[in-house]
Amino acid sequence: MAEYQQYLQPQTLASVEGLGLQARLIVEGYVAGMHKSPYHGFSVEFSQHREYAPGDDVRHIDWKVWSKTDKYYLKQYEEETNLLTYLLLDASASMGYASEGNVSKLQYGQFIAAALSYLVLQQQDSVGLCVFDDRVRRWLRPSGQPSHLKELIRVMDSEPARERTGLGPVLHEMAERIGRRGIVVLISDLLDGEAPELLAGLKHFRHKGHEVVVFHVLDPAEVDFPFRQVTKFKGIELPEELLTDPTALREGYLAELRTFTEAVRKGCRLSDIDYVPLRTDQPLDVALTGYLATRSARTRKGQRRA
Amino acid sequence: MAVGWDEGMDPRSPPACPRSKETRPGMSFVTIPPPPLAIGFANPLLLWGLAAASLPILLHLLNRRRYREESWAAMRFLLAAIRKNQKRIRLEHWLLLTVRTLLVACAALAMAQPYLESTGAVPLLAGRRTHRVLVLDGTMSMSYAAAGRSRFSRAVEYADAYVQGARNGDAISVVLLGAPPRVVIGAPSPNHAEVREELEQLSPSHGKADLEATLSKIREVLDASDLPQKEILFLTDLQEGTWHVDPDRESAVKRAVEALERERANCVVVDLGDEVRSNRAVVDLALDTPVVVRGGPLSVISARLASFGSATEAGVRAQLVVDGRLGPERRVDLPPGQEVPVAFSYRFEDPGDHVVEVRLEEDRLPVDDTRRLAVPVREQLEALLVNGDYDPEPFESETDYLAQALSPSEGSDRSPSPIRVEVATEAQLSRRDLERYDVIFLCNVSRLSRGEVEAIDGFLRLGGGLVVFGGERLQPDEYNGTLFAGIPGSEEFEGPGFLPARLGAVVDSGAETAEQLALAPEFDPIGFEHPIVAIYQGAPAQVMAGLTGVRTWRSHDLRVPEGSTARRALAFTDGRPAVLTMPRHRGMVVQVATTADDDWTTWPLHPSYPPVVEQMALFAASGRMSQRNVAVGQPIDQAMPEGASPASAVIVRPDGREEPGRLVEEGGATRLVFDQTDLAGVYLARLGPPVARELSFAANPDPVESDPSRADSATLSALFPRWTFSSWDGGPVSQTAAATVGRRGELHRGLLLAVLGLVLGESTLAWWIGRRR
């Protein structure tokens, strides 16, 4: 059990080959640490049976089937299978930044995306993926097939682009492209574009009736600005170079960052969007919890709506 | 403010042009005013240290070159931050950089020891014309020579550099520290070349120092000038003997120092002393007898030798030299810190003046390796016995015992006695010419007329000796009224009286029966400390009994007043003084409580009577001899016997210079006075006409000056709290360094304070800036 959990540390996870395996390790590690199964998607309308897996809620075991076959099956319900999750993974150049000893933001985002894909597919839900930088690079339609995972992972496991992110337009484009309502998961460092522009994009999803989760992935160095000696900062996406004494600038930088994140957080709250700030040195279960909270909210709403 | 180096200012260049714009009819001058204020530097070479001030800037630039690179994603926040904070950051940077640069610059400047050098245009505290008083230590210890140069010549060298380094318009005075101090140049001289010439001719004395007198002389010299800025430079070896101040004189010296400080005088002491390993000296030389008479017994010349080192000096040769002829030699070991006595015996055959010397091998301070004694040898000692109770019967007259004791061969054809005795009656006294005698004995004289008292007073002023015996006929009221000397300092003391004690009632224990006599008081020799009875010291008991067994049944009660300088030679066993001695003028007075014959005492019948009265006579006459030997710095003051008063006197000093001696007429007597005894050695006085005579005098250094130990710096700083002490090791001295020795610390103290402030400021600033990061 403990072995699984250690894979929630992104640094440890990075030593494991293969995003598929990494995704499984995350989810298994996460699930092993919980008292209750995360697979809550159980409703009234029965759709099919599924074999019991460790961690599943025993309440949903179909005892009739067990009495006949001596095997554990869970009952699954119609509503759940229709749940769609769209993963939007930012693969712009800025996501390639990694401070010393940490995984890059993109890799961290890939962990999250892969783990969520795995989790969603495990729950028999459908998951789609969009990898973008300044425009949509790859687009995979949602599917609930377990084999879909391989495809998802192949797509998301790509190098960061060199171009700048155009977050606002991309979000609008995606909002237009996604048809069925579902959960939209945006994994990005949000470093491009101003807050209003970003929020407008996110609201577009809300407008279309999606639940939205924003995973704001930042490197610890970006959050803490720990530099002491004179440093020449080279913009990854912006062409500027800046030679400065970071100690003198730290306060100003942090204030700017705070202002931005606060604006985003506030905008998200007003639009009923879940905003989850993440650092790449943070265990990955935070992201999963964030997702699951949104999903359950979505489910409850769905129930209410139904 | 202009910056000028001192080397650029040549003191020999012509005086500065008038500063103001002068307008005369028909013509006008416009002179360029000199910079109002300039800064000089004591150590201009250290100004290169200012280059270090660029260090913080260099470090800053270097730091900017050594940077790390970071590819940065969140560039937009960084750019926004720098847009908003750039001004503040730049300001902080410059502030910090300025403070650091200033810090280094101040430290470098402080090391260069700058001083303000105003040329007078700005009436500021610093840099006006200075009255510089050079005080050279002229004591004997300054003759100490190391590496072929005496300390004094080094002091002169430094003084020369100091004068050369002085600015135009500075006035210079020169004082020689000594006892008494000598003002070489009193009126401040603006002519520096002249001062330097005067310095060249200076030589040290062999005397000691009188710090208090020197300080008050300096004060007088300072008062002579109206220059507002004053500087006093002491060039000294800081020898303990010179700078030590007795605790009871301390307040006076402190007052003198304060007086100098009230004058706003900047006092600087330059220490020229070097490490002295050893010094040996003859610290004392004496004869065993106060008066030497031709053909007398062997005289014992005793010298005391001392070594002021840390190790014992073995086999030091001490040689006796009499009148330039080498005598016997002794080899002694001199342990440190102890005085070793050496004795020679010598018989003076010829009457006249002799010079006795004891010489040691010369060391680095040669002056104190020889000590001299001028010994006038008399043909005979002349004694006048005044008989107050004449009786033709042998040994019934008052003075018969005394005459016999003083001159035992009187009347016989044996070798003549050293003392020639003349007896006179009371009535004959006024007709005698007292100057002829060395000692006068007054025996049971009832009273003295005013003329007689004055004659005796004159006799004492010439260094004669007086012995007064008591007796039945003596009128105590007369004595107390006219002869008592009084207490030193009182009005009475200034009068002609000469007796050390008042006469009380006659104490009589009775002598009718043997029992009564057995109860009469005896003599108490008080430890044989007085020279009169010192011959009995260590004598066998039966010999001593000859003195202590004397019974005196009647005696005057001698009442010595409080504060008197009288000394007891003998006392009675009941505690009253029996024999008192007191110096009076240049002579010596001995007062005896009992009689000279056997009327009141058994003394004349005892074997102790002849030797003790002889010692008494010699002791009383010693005043004549002591005038010949003085300490260096003390004036020679010799009384001339009447009738022999010469028309002129020339003194040949030890250095061969001939100086006129002063002849002072006083109370009918003539005295020879000479006060330039600043060197140790023999002073020969040539007197005449009418009668050509030569008198020898010896001046000896004070042993205090032989001790090379140096003054304790803690004591010095306690005595002279605001003085600057600096030292010179004898290396090459630059004019600038010498002239500015007093200005060192003038600005650099402030600069150092600034450095301290900047250090604190820098840390505070750095903390304040860093606090917000």
Side-chain angles (χ1 to χ4, degrees):
Chain A
M1 208 183 260
E3 272 171 43
Y4 277 126
Q5 277 183 334
Q6 72 181 354
Y7 289 106
L8 291 173
Q9 293 300 331
Q11 292 92 336
T12 320
L13 198 65
S15 61
V16 177
E17 281 289 326
L19 203 50
L21 179 57
Q22 287 166 336
R24 225 190 83 204
L25 284 170
I26 297 165
V27 175
E28 297 302 336
Y30 174 66
V31 167
M34 295 182 76
H35 297 294
K36 217 171 121 188
S37 169
Y39 307 127
H40 290 298
F42 300 89
S43 188
V44 200
E45 270 178 71
F46 172 78
S47 86
Q48 60 174 4
H49 277 101
R50 171 167 75 79
E51 210 166 344
Y52 172 79
D56 284 347
D57 193 340
V58 288
R59 284 181 302 178
H60 302 293
I61 293 174
D62 193 333
W63 299 111
K64 283 181 185 166
V65 176
W66 169 74
S67 65
K68 288 172 186 163
T69 61
D70 210 10
K71 281 178 182 160
Y72 300 106
Y73 279 95
L74 302 183
K75 286 190 268 185
Q76 286 193 321
Y77 302 88
E78 185 60 31
E79 176 78 70
E80 299 310 304
T81 52
N82 293 335
L83 188 67
L84 293 175
T85 301
Y86 302 96
L87 299 173
L88 311 184
L89 178 61
D90 185 352
S92 68
S94 68
M95 289 291 282
Y97 176 75
S99 64
E100 209 180 318
N102 287 308
V103 298
S104 72
K105 290 184 277 185
L106 180 62
Q107 202 174 2
Y108 193 87
Q110 284 168 346
F111 288 157
I112 296 171
L116 287 179
S117 304
Y118 181 82
L119 189 69
V120 169
L121 288 175
Q122 279 282 308
Q123 286 173 296
Q124 317 287 323
D125 287 342
S126 297
V127 58
L129 173 70
C130 171
V131 179
F132 64 91
D133 37 58
D134 61 331
R135 57 199 166 84
V136 177
R137 287 277 166 207
R138 313 291 293 271
W139 166 241
L140 270 185
R141 296 195 156 278
S143 166
Q145 295 300 313
S147 60
H148 189 51
L149 182 64
K150 260 189 190 165
E151 186 63 15
L152 285 170
I153 284 172
R154 195 182 56 75
V155 169
M156 71 177 70
D157 196 1
S158 59
E159 289 297 307
R162 290 274 160 255
E163 285 79 18
R164 11 185 338 179
T165 335
L167 208 48
V170 174
L171 290 181
H172 285 296
E173 186 188 340
M174 287 306 303
E176 287 305 321
R177 204 182 271 195
I178 296 169
R180 250 185 89 190
R181 278 187 297 171
I183 299 176
V184 173
V185 179
L186 174 65
I187 304 168
S188 171
D189 55 9
L190 309 178
L191 283 183
D192 196 69
E194 296 303 316
E197 192 187 336
L198 170 74
L199 288 169
L202 292 174
K203 275 178 191 161
H204 196 162
F205 284 108
R206 290 294 293 152
H207 182 72
K208 291 272 183 176
H210 299 290
E211 289 296 318
V212 182
V213 188
V214 178
F215 287 125
H216 189 188
V217 182
L218 285 174
D219 194 272
E222 288 169 336
V223 179
D224 297 335
F225 207 66
F227 309 101
R228 309 296 303 177
Q229 72 186 89
V230 176
T231 311
K232 187 186 232 176
F233 293 99
K234 286 179 159 174
I236 293 178
E237 289 175 355
L238 299 171
E240 276 94 343
E241 282 188 354
L242 183 64
L243 179 63
T244 185
D245 174 12
T247 50
L249 264 185
R250 180 164 187 265
E251 207 189 350
Y253 167 84
L254 291 182
E256 290 295 321
L257 180 65
R258 208 160 41 238
T259 313
F260 175 76
T261 49
E262 276 310 310
V264 173
R265 186 196 301 273
K266 198 176 165 196
C268 286
R269 200 170 60 236
L270 289 175
S271 310
D272 210 3
I273 295 166
D274 285 330
Y275 172 80
V276 183
L278 291 173
R279 293 160 57 122
T280 56
D281 60 347
Q282 240 174 350
L284 288 146
D285 52 350
V286 179
L288 298 187
T289 310
Y291 164 75
L292 291 171
T294 309
R295 183 180 176 280
S296 69
R298 168 86 174 92
T299 314
R300 279 196 302 278
K301 278 182 205 165
Q303 281 171 354
R304 254 179 269 127
R305 230 172 268 141
Chain B
M1 187 184 291
V3 175
W5 272 256
D6 257 14
E7 283 95 331
M9 302 187 170
D10 189 354
R12 284 155 297 187
S13 61
C17 313
R19 229 167 274 116
S20 58
K21 183 173 164 181
E22 275 181 37
T23 318
R24 283 189 213 161
M27 59 198 298
S28 71
F29 295 101
V30 178
T31 54
I32 301 161
L37 209 64
I39 290 183
F41 293 95
N43 303 324
L45 275 182
L46 284 180
L47 277 182
W48 288 108
L50 273 183
S54 60
L55 218 63
I57 301 172
L58 280 176
L59 275 177
H60 173 76
L61 291 177
L62 216 66
N63 227 4
R64 282 195 78 89
R65 281 174 65 92
R66 275 184 47 242
Y67 56 84
R68 50 175 281 190
E69 284 192 11
E70 182 84 21
S71 293
W72 191 246
M75 203 65 187
R76 44 182 281 226
F77 301 132
L78 213 50
L79 288 174
I82 206 146
R83 245 192 331 272
K84 285 183 183 166
N85 293 305
Q86 187 128 31
K87 266 190 192 161
R88 179 183 58 83
I89 291 170
R90 197 165 284 169
L91 185 75
E92 283 173 359
H93 253 119
W94 278 113
L95 213 60
L96 213 56
L97 204 60
T98 315
V99 167
R100 285 172 183 163
T101 311
L102 267 177
L103 185 84
V104 180
C106 279
L109 270 176
M111 278 195 282
Q113 299 191 327
Y115 51 88
L116 279 179
E117 182 100 64
S118 163
T119 43
V122 177
L124 268 178
L125 62 155
R128 283 171 292 183
R129 292 170 65 210
T130 309
H131 179 196
R132 297 170 186 251
V133 182
L134 267 168
V135 184
L136 282 91
D137 187 346
T139 58
M140 184 184 76
S141 59
M142 289 295 279
S143 306
Y144 185 90
R149 286 174 67 213
S150 74
R151 287 176 186 163
F152 193 80
S153 64
R154 283 171 50 203
V156 169
E157 186 190 335
Y158 196 96
D160 193 61
Y162 179 77
V163 173
Q164 284 189 58
R167 291 179 311 118
N168 280 326
D170 284 359
I172 297 174
S173 298
V174 180
V175 175
L176 216 54
L177 169 61
R182 200 176 124 210
V183 177
V184 182
I185 301 176
S189 164
N191 185 344
H192 296 180
E194 206 176 84
V195 174
R196 290 180 60 202
E197 242 168 65
E198 197 74 44
L199 280 173
E200 283 301 311
Q201 285 163 16
L202 274 185
S203 60
S205 80
H206 294 160
K208 52 177 186 169
D210 185 346
L211 207 55
E212 198 186 327
T214 308
L215 291 178
S216 60
K217 269 275 185 287
I218 293 170
R219 179 90 197 283
E220 285 169 27
V221 168
L222 283 182
D223 285 342
S225 113
D226 51 2
L227 291 186
Q229 190 163 297
K230 301 163 200 301
E231 181 169 289
I232 306 166
L233 179 74
F234 291 85
L235 294 165
T236 172
D237 57 358
L238 283 180
Q239 190 216 13
E240 168 87 32
T242 308
W243 290 89
H244 175 75
V245 177
D246 280 333
D248 51 326
R249 305 301 306 154
E250 207 172 293
S251 57
V253 169
K254 277 196 170 157
R255 266 201 304 280
V257 171
E258 274 162 25
L260 290 183
E261 265 154 21
R262 266 200 303 282
E263 298 266 352
R264 298 253 185 93
N266 180 20
C267 298
V268 188
V269 178
V270 175
D271 176 14
L272 304 162
D274 34 22
E275 209 45 57
V276 176
R277 274 164 219 93
S278 67
N279 181 37
R280 50 177 178 265
V282 185
V283 293
D284 191 31
L285 183 61
L287 276 180
D288 62 335
T289 165
V291 177
V292 184
V293 179
R294 174 194 170 203
L298 272 177
S299 300
V300 178
I301 299 160
S302 53
R304 279 187 297 143
L305 316 178
S307 164
F308 300 92
S310 52
T312 300
E313 290 198 56
V316 176
R317 279 188 294 147
Q319 188 163 37
L320 178 73
V321 181
V322 180
D323 296 329
R325 286 192 305 276
L326 299 183
E329 196 179 272
R330 302 264 191 282
R331 275 188 180 275
V332 285
D333 291 347
L334 298 180
Q338 276 181 40
E339 292 185 359
V340 178
V342 178
F344 301 90
S345 55
Y346 187 80
R347 193 189 298 278
F348 292 96
E349 299 289 356
D350 306 317
D353 287 356
H354 296 269
V355 176
V356 175
E357 280 176 44
V358 170
R359 282 185 197 164
L360 294 179
E361 295 158 76
E362 277 193 5
D363 57 12
R364 289 183 166 183
L365 185 55
V367 183
D368 60 1
D369 296 335
T370 307
R371 213 170 174 82
R372 300 170 183 83
L373 202 59
V375 183
V377 176
R378 306 289 304 268
E379 190 79 51
Q380 268 186 325
L381 203 65
E382 300 285 340
L384 175 68
L385 314 186
V386 182
N387 192 343
D389 186 11
Y390 182 73
D391 196 318
E393 288 295 309
F395 293 99
E396 285 299 320
S397 200
E398 192 71 31
T399 55
D400 287 353
Y401 285 102
L402 197 55
Q404 200 56 37
L406 290 174
S407 189
S409 58
E410 187 76 8
S412 77
D413 52 10
R414 274 188 288 155
S415 64
S417 154
I419 302 176
R420 206 173 70 82
V421 173
E422 246 179 73
V423 182
T425 59
E426 206 175 328
Q428 290 166 333
L429 177 61
S430 57
R431 291 199 294 278
R432 294 280 172 159
D433 173 14
L434 298 185
E435 260 77 61
R436 275 180 42 224
Y437 303 99
D438 296 301
V439 199
I440 298 170
F441 286 80
L442 298 180
C443 306
N444 203 3
V445 173
S446 63
R447 57 185 296 276
L448 293 173
S449 69
R450 178 161 281 279
E452 284 164 343
V453 172
E454 272 166 11
I456 289 175
D457 182 57
F459 171 72
L460 285 169
R461 282 179 195 278
L462 291 176
L466 181 72
V467 183
V468 182
F469 278 93
E472 208 68 60
R473 289 167 52 79
L474 195 139
Q475 296 174 13
D477 293 344
E478 280 287 327
Y479 268 56
N480 290 341
T482 56
L483 302 190
F484 176 60
I487 318 158
S490 70
E491 200 181 316
E492 198 179 1
F493 195 72
E494 304 300 318
F498 47 78
L499 283 185
R502 274 202 185 88
L503 296 179
V506 172
V507 180
D508 189 353
S509 61
E512 277 78 47
T513 63
E515 289 78 33
Q516 276 181 330
L517 186 61
L519 289 172
E522 298 177 332
F523 276 147
D524 173 9
I526 326 173
F528 304 106
E529 274 173 5
H530 199 280
I532 289 179
V533 290
I535 44 169
Y536 277 89
Q537 195 151 34
Q542 62 266 39
V543 177
M544 219 183 277
L547 178 67
T548 54
V550 172
R551 300 271 174 191
T552 306
W553 58 90
R554 270 174 84 84
S555 59
H556 296 287
D557 184 13
L558 298 186
R559 293 193 179 152
V560 184
E562 198 84 17
S564 165
T565 53
R567 207 178 144 196
R568 290 173 175 210
L570 280 170
F572 292 115
T573 40
D574 60 6
R576 287 177 297 117
V579 177
L580 290 171
T581 65
M582 184 179 80
R584 177 72 178 159
H585 304 307
R586 238 159 292 145
M588 184 64 75
V589 180
V590 181
Q591 188 174 15
V592 186
T594 182
T595 52
D597 63 3
D598 61 353
D599 284 354
W600 286 11
T601 173
T602 61
W603 197 14
L605 311 176
H606 279 265
S608 68
Y609 187 70
V612 172
V613 291
E614 189 187 60
Q615 287 304 314
M616 220 180 257
L618 293 175
F619 181 77
S622 65
R624 285 273 158 96
M625 178 149 154
S626 64
Q627 298 169 13
R628 298 301 190 88
N629 294 295
V630 295
V632 169
Q634 246 183 14
I636 291 171
D637 192 345
Q638 168 79 41
M640 298 282 136
E642 206 174 5
S645 48
S648 71
V650 173
I651 311 282
V652 184
R653 284 159 45 91
D655 56 1
R657 241 169 56 211
E658 292 191 6
E659 299 275 346
R662 264 190 311 133
L663 291 164
V664 182
E665 292 280 339
E666 192 184 272
T670 311
R671 287 190 296 134
L672 166 67
V673 180
F674 182 72
D675 49 13
Q676 296 171 47
T677 55
D678 55 337
L679 295 182
V682 175
Y683 291 78
L684 191 67
R686 295 212 175 104
L687 306 171
V691 186
R693 265 181 85 192
E694 278 192 352
L695 295 179
S696 295
F697 298 87
N700 285 306
D702 193 314
V704 164
E705 282 291 314
S706 300
D707 187 350
S709 54
R710 288 157 57 75
D712 178 24
S713 60
T715 321
L716 285 177
S717 51
L719 266 174
F720 313 108
R722 275 173 288 280
W723 290 21
T724 316
F725 287 84
S726 133
S727 68
W728 180 46
D729 57 359
V733 57
S734 83
Q735 298 168 15
T736 325
T740 59
V741 64
R743 317 288 288 281
R744 279 177 206 166
E746 191 174 74
L747 288 181
H748 97 269
R749 219 165 275 162
L751 280 170
L752 286 180
L753 273 179
V755 168
L756 190 70
L758 285 169
V759 166
L760 289 175
E762 196 264 352
S763 339
T764 315
L765 199 63
W767 168 81
W768 182 69
I769 290 169
R771 175 184 59 106
R772 300 181 301 121
R773 288 176 184 175

